[in-house]
Structure formats: C-alpha cells, structure tokens
Amino acid sequence: MTIVPIIKRDYIIKLAEQGKRIDGRDFNHYRKIEIETNVVNKAEGSARVKIGNTQVLCGIKMDIGEPFPDTPATGVMSTAAEFVPLASPDFESGPPREDAIELARVVDRGVRESQVIQLEKLCITPGEKVWLVFIDIHILDYDGNLFDAASLAALAALSTTKVPVSRFLKDLNEKDRTSWQKQILDLYTIPGVDEIPFGADEANKNPNPIQDFPLPMTEPPISCTAVKINDFILFDPCFDEEVIADVRLTVATDHNGDIRAMQKGLSGSFSKEEIQKVIKGALDNGKEVRKTLKDVVSS
Amino acid sequence: MKSDIELIDTEGKRNDGRGPQDIRKIKIEAGVLHRADGSCYLEWGGNKVLVAVYGPREAVPRHTQNPLKAIVQARYNMAAFSVEDRKRPGPDRRSVEISKVISEALEKIVLTDQFPRASIDVCIEVLDAEAGTRCAGLTAAGVALIDAGIPMRDIPVACAAGKINGQVVLDLGKEEDNFGDADLPIAISPRTGEVLLLQMDGHLTYEEFNEAFDLAVKGCHMVSEIQKKAIMDKYQTAAAEVNE
Amino acid sequence: MTNEGRQVVIPGQILGDTPTFKPGRGTFVENKKIYAERLGVLNIQDAFIHIIPLKGRYDPIIGDLVIGIVEEASASHWMVDINAPSPAVLHVHEVPWEIEYADTEKYLNTGDTILAKVLSVDESKRLQITLNDRNLFKLKDGHLIEFEPSVYRRIMGKKYSMIEIIQKYTRCRIKVGKNGRIWIDGDAEGIEKVLQAISKIESEAITFGLTDRIEELLKKDAKDVR
C-alpha cells in the first residue's frame, strides 16, 4: 500500500487553509475533462474519459438473452468494473475488491434508476428474448475521482452504442422476427407504416428491422464527487487529496436540477450543511460536465 | 478441412489486401500512463493493447522472492469488451497460460540478477482483440520495459507467421486465424536471434515450418524497427525540440 | 544546437569494441562488444563508455543521501521506503536517540519522513540506512514531491549550480534525496515555483543550457532577490 507522508497531508491542509490546492485549482473546480468515443472496435459502444491524469475506459457489449421473470418485456443491464493492476501500484490482480464492486454498483444505479437506457424498448419476444446490455469499466490510470470518470465514461459509451441487430439476426427465429418487427415500429413510429418487412432494405427508409440502431436513451444524470479534508470541501479530488480525505460524497443530478443518486464513502462524516454544499457544487459542476458530454456525443 | 474458405487469391493477395509477406499496420507510443513506472500503447491491425510496467519493487507475497534475482511477472488480461462475444472479466485458463509464456520470454531478456528479491510486473491489457494479441502484448511490453528504465540485453519483439490455403504468410489476421491451417507466433531477441517464445497450432510440414519460422523472424525485425522509432520519438525528439 | 553530445541509446545497442573502449555503468559486454543495457544518454570518458539512465528506479549506493518514508515501526527497527526495489531497515542503533525496547513508535511512526543516509547494501541488495549524522533528521512541515531519480544530477547541477539558483530565487529550504524525492520548505508561492522548476528540469533533462533556462523561468516574477 502506498503510504502518504504526514508532511504531504499537512501541506495539503495548510494550503487549504489559504484557499489553495496542490495543483492550483479552486475548491470547486474540476481538472481538464477529455472524452473520446468509439475507441474500441469490438464493442457496441465505447469511450475513454480523462479527468486530469485519471483515465477510464468503458466498453458496452450487447447480447440476446432471457428476461427476468418479473420483467418479461424489459431488457437487462449489468455493470462491472475492473481495477486492473495496470492503473495503480496498489491494485492487485484477482477477483474484484470491494472498491471495484462499489464503483460498479454506483455507476449501475446512476444509469438504472434514472432509466438512462430505455430497457422497455429492448424487448424482442416478451418472456423469451430481450437485449442484454453489459457495461464494463476498465480503469487505466488512477489519479483520483474514479466515480465521476467511470460514470461519465459509461454515459459517453452508452450514447455511442448501436444495438447490433445485424450481427444477431441469425439468432432470431420466425416468432422473434415478427415480434421484433412490432417492437421496432414502437420504437420509431412512422405514420401509415404498420409493417416493415425483413430484408427489404432499399425500398424502406429507416428504420429497418435488420439495421443496427442507437440504444434508446433518456437524458442522463451527471455524477459529481467531492471529498472533505478537515473542514474543507474539495471537488474532483486528485489521488493525493483522495487518499487523505476523511469522507467522500458523490451526487448525481439531472438536467432539471434534481438529485438522482447519492453515495457517501469513507469512514468520516458530514453535517447536513456540508451535504447541502456538496449538492450545490454538484449542480453547478454537473451543468459544465453535461455540456462537455453533449459536445462530444452530438458531434 | 477448414481451408476451403478462400483467404488468399491466385495472385497472392489476401482478403485484407495484403501480400503474403506484409504485416498489418502498427502504431506504437511510449510513456502514456501517469502512475506506471513505464508504459506503452500499441495498435497492431485491429488490436489495441496497453501495457504498464511497475518495478523493480519488493516481490509479494514474500515466498515468490528469489534471493538471487528479480522475478518477471507478466499479467495478460483481456477487457470484457475486447472480443466479439463479451468475455467474463478476470483471468481464465487461456490468459494464465499466455501470461506464463510471456513472463518466461521477458525473464530471459531482463537483467534480473541486478535486482535480487524484487519483482518486475508487466500488466498487459488487451482493449481490442483481432488475432495476434500475445505478439502485440509482448511487443508493447518490450517498449514499456524500456520506458520504465529496466536494464535488458535487448528489446524483445514478437510476430507470427502462419499458413492459409496451404501458403505460408506473415502476421495472420482475424479470418486467417480462424480459418487458416496453422499459426506460429514467436518472440525473439532481434540482436542475437534467440527465440524467447514459440507456440504453434495447426498443421505444418517440416519445410513449411522452416519457411514460416524464417518469415516470422523477418516480421519480428520489421516490428523491432517500429519499436525503436517509438522510443526515439519519445526521448530523442523531445530533446531536439527544446534545443532548436 | 545539435544533440550530438547527448545521444540517446537503447538496450542492446552496440556502443564500441573492447579493448579500445572499456565498459562502464549501464553497459554489458558480449563477444568483445560493448552494449547498452538500458535507456539512457551515452557518455564516453577516458575510453570508458557509460550510460546515464533516463528512467528507472533508484539504485542505492552506500553514502547516498535519501529521503525515506517510514512504513512501520517494529520493536528494534523501522522499515523505511526509500523508493528502491525493496524497503530499507533503520535499526534503533542507527538513530541519535536512546530508545528503550519496543518504544520505537514514539520516535518515528508510519508516514513520518526522514532525511537519511544509505549505510549498507549487501549482495542481495538488502538495505540499511542511518540517521547517525548531524545533517540527518526527521523532516517536519514543508512539502514532499517525487521526481525521476535519474534526473538527480541535473537538479543539483554542476557544482550545485542548479539547486543554488532554485534556492536563491524561491527562498525555500530544499533537501534533495538521491532517491528521487525532494523536501521543500517555504511559503506556498516559493514552493509552487520550485515545483515548476523541477518539472521543467525533468522534461528537459537531456538538453543543453538548462541552468540558464531555469534561471530565466525563476527570474521572471522574482522581485526581491537578495
């Protein structure tokens, strides 16, 4: 384990008392965010996000599988994170540590509970076949704030994901195809069109049931994370700040300015006022980050 | 036989447009990660590989330490999304085997006796896979080890040759790997010609093996030049810019 | 200006023949030929071919001044991280304090930073360090940063010229460990300037005229240099 020298800790605190941070940022400011999409050919969607020196890669894979019995007409999503030893001298190989599991679950909740993926539109044959969406997060370089980097990477990757209908067409029997034809019409209602025949590509304009189509999505919430060191609240902690932090709070906010998910971490504690402060900062930063994301995925 | 799919035409042109002795496009960049002691990003055809080197550092658990020299521990891992059908995250039997043969290949080249009891860890992450990931991983590892300042006898490099439709060709692509007759990935020390890694599957005559082996060695030398250029780009050019 | 005098070499690169040349640091000999064993800059002195490394872990040599971070205290010694391939032992006899058995934690504990000297390096690279010298002590306050150990000589400069310039313009107290760690004490502004200078030295380590460029950088906004 990396041991943080006490003098480094004291120095970070001393700077904070003067309103400064070790990399010269204001308490509320993020490091430079860079998003690159479609970086993995084999994935249905992918994105690499850099926040300062932190680098996270997210890849989306899709498959066809069975729905859960209680939601027979709903697609299935799952999220996993790998803290590979490439990213930090402290990460070890082997089964995911609890940190990786927490990260995956927090990203998963941010996507699932806000219905970012419209899973109800990912049904092929109710009760039998639905689309499965796998969100896999790969940490490449760890310099703090994995929560924001990972959730942003997941959102950017999902935004570029194409449902691979053409690749899986051979797995669909006659019944599935009929059902899927209906589904695709529900997805893209075209006045006067009530059936889109299979294979007729040229004659029919989009959508075509054998064509890959963008993953149906809604406006996502944006995660922003702050840590508390002594009494100071610092957003987007770098590694040196994160390892000495007492407590951490991640707040996901939506485009209406409402709160959609929260996660407190580490063994310290917050007062209500401090939590309010983090929420306000998350709302402000969330707007900026949302704009960065939109600029990338809409271009 | 599976070779009834046409992978190379009568003119010797392969499905991706390459000739029999052509290598896929390779791009190498050294020093791309912040936390690692050394790193390398490599694209080889449709393969994308990222390698980090940590160490020499204390080998843990302690019983793995060798009092006379460092151990080299390569860990080859495929990202879940790097293949057509999603792979379950984490090590499987295939990745454990590849990690082992790569570790052994690198151990021959690294001057391990300078670091008793230490470990040199080489993390190979395959982010996008399209035939030949072990060669891509080992080649990137060679550059990452240099970037980490690890003392070595040479820069290890890898390339495969194989047989498609009965003909020996260099550096199999995806289709050729799936439907070809044989694959022969090797790694060498380009300075001495010593073979550091060798695997083969499929079907080759003794004559075909010799032909494929020589071709793979030729490929290794081609890749070696790209490795060296990547390192010089990072270190010599950076110096030249400031001096001008 | 050319790079002629600072040729970058890579492992396995042939550098000369013996006995015309003699193999120095960072080289090895095979069949009477001298090869580079690591990434570095070629340096030929009195027929000796040396490689000055550009990257790599700190390789401890007896007498080196190092900055260590205490990993843990045991009854009779401390384990100290000095950025080397393995941690160093600091025995209770090697500190300037009278320590009763198992009382080590009171003097030095996990996370403490010390300025120490390499006392011994044995055949299997087991390390011992000492605090028994009047210039060695526990460091308090200030800031601690790491740098590429191979850049140490550039940070110090010829006859300490570089480090003296940095101290002069930033008015900071600075201790440079050969193991790639620097301790800086001063006001936040001064420390910030030291960090800028170090990062510039690191990225331009193999270039000429570096001392002048660093002085220029520090001079720019230094108003009251005595």
Side-chain angles (χ1 to χ4, degrees), chain B residues 85-101:
Chain B
D85 294 318
R86 178 180 182 266
K87 181 199 162 292
R88 264 176 87 88
D92 53 22
R93 294 169 66 84
R94 176 180 172 276
S95 64
V96 170
E97 182 214 339
I98 294 176
S99 300
K100 180 171 183 288
V101 293

Side-chain angles (χ1 to χ4, degrees), chain B residues 37 58 114 147 149 151-152 243, chain C residues 3 8 37-38 55 57 85:
Chain B
D37 294 318
E58 195 178 26
Q114 294 188 11
D147 186 50
M152 295 192 285
N243 281 333
Chain C
N3 276 315
V8 173
E37 64 168 34
R38 60 198 301 175
K55 291 280 294 277
R57 275 283 148 114

Side-chain angles (χ1 to χ4, degrees), chain B residues 37 148, chain C residues 54-57 146-152 155 180 202:
Chain B
D37 294 318
Chain C
L54 280 174
K55 291 280 294 277
R57 275 283 148 114
E146 304 213 330
F147 64 92
E148 188 58 49
S150 59
V151 183
Y152 173 80
I155 289 175
E202 267 195 293

